[in-house]
Structure formats: C-alpha cells, structure tokens
Amino acid sequence: MRKCIRCNCEMKEEYGLKISAVLAGVAPVILSKGQGTFSEDLGKIKAAVCPYCGEVSLYIDDLKSIK
Ligand SMILES: [Zn+2]
C-alpha cells in the first residue's frame, strides 16, 4: 500500500499511463536502462493516485531487475 507523500493518505494503485497524442496510440510506458535500440526493458510503469489531493506516484512491481 502506497501512502501519499503530501497528505499521508492511502493511494489508489494499479493505474496505467497512456500517451496522449493522435499518432502515438495506446502503449504501456516501460522503464528502461540505456538508450535507443539496445536499451533494456525493466518493467511496465504503473501509477498510483491520491484520492484526496490528486498527487500521482509512479512505480514498478518487479524490483528484481533493479537490484
Ligand atoms: Zn494526498
């Protein structure tokens, strides 16, 4: 459970991110290490939102690729 860094309330998790552009389509946002073709995908970025103040927090579920 994530707590809001601003008001310390419980955040709503498991939201996704969309690219808001006509040509970009709908694609999950991936955390990657490195740049361009040779970058390593580390996991889908998810979002949590605080229902009280609107603070948005980004996170990934799988931390094995980071440690
Ligand atoms: Zn909050």
Side-chain angles (χ1 to χ4, degrees):
M1 185 249 297
R2 298 175 77 79
K3 284 204 163 184
C4 178
I5 58 170
R6 293 190 188 276
C7 63
N8 211 35
C9 293
E10 183 177 344
M11 300 182 91
K12 305 261 185 196
E13 298 177 332
E14 298 287 326
Y15 286 86
L17 300 173
K18 281 168 118 179
I19 313 261
S20 179
V22 175
L23 295 176
V26 178
V29 179
I30 303 292
L31 180 68
S32 67
K33 188 176 186 181
Q35 303 240 321
T37 310
F38 301 106
S39 67
E40 177 189 1
D41 288 352
L42 299 178
K44 181 180 171 186
I45 297 178
K46 294 182 175 180
V49 60
C50 175
Y52 302 97
C53 75
E55 174 73 13
V56 173
S57 171
L58 302 179
Y59 66 98
I60 61 171
D61 283 334
D62 184 8
L63 296 177
K64 287 195 299 269
S65 58
I66 307 295
K67 292 175 180 168

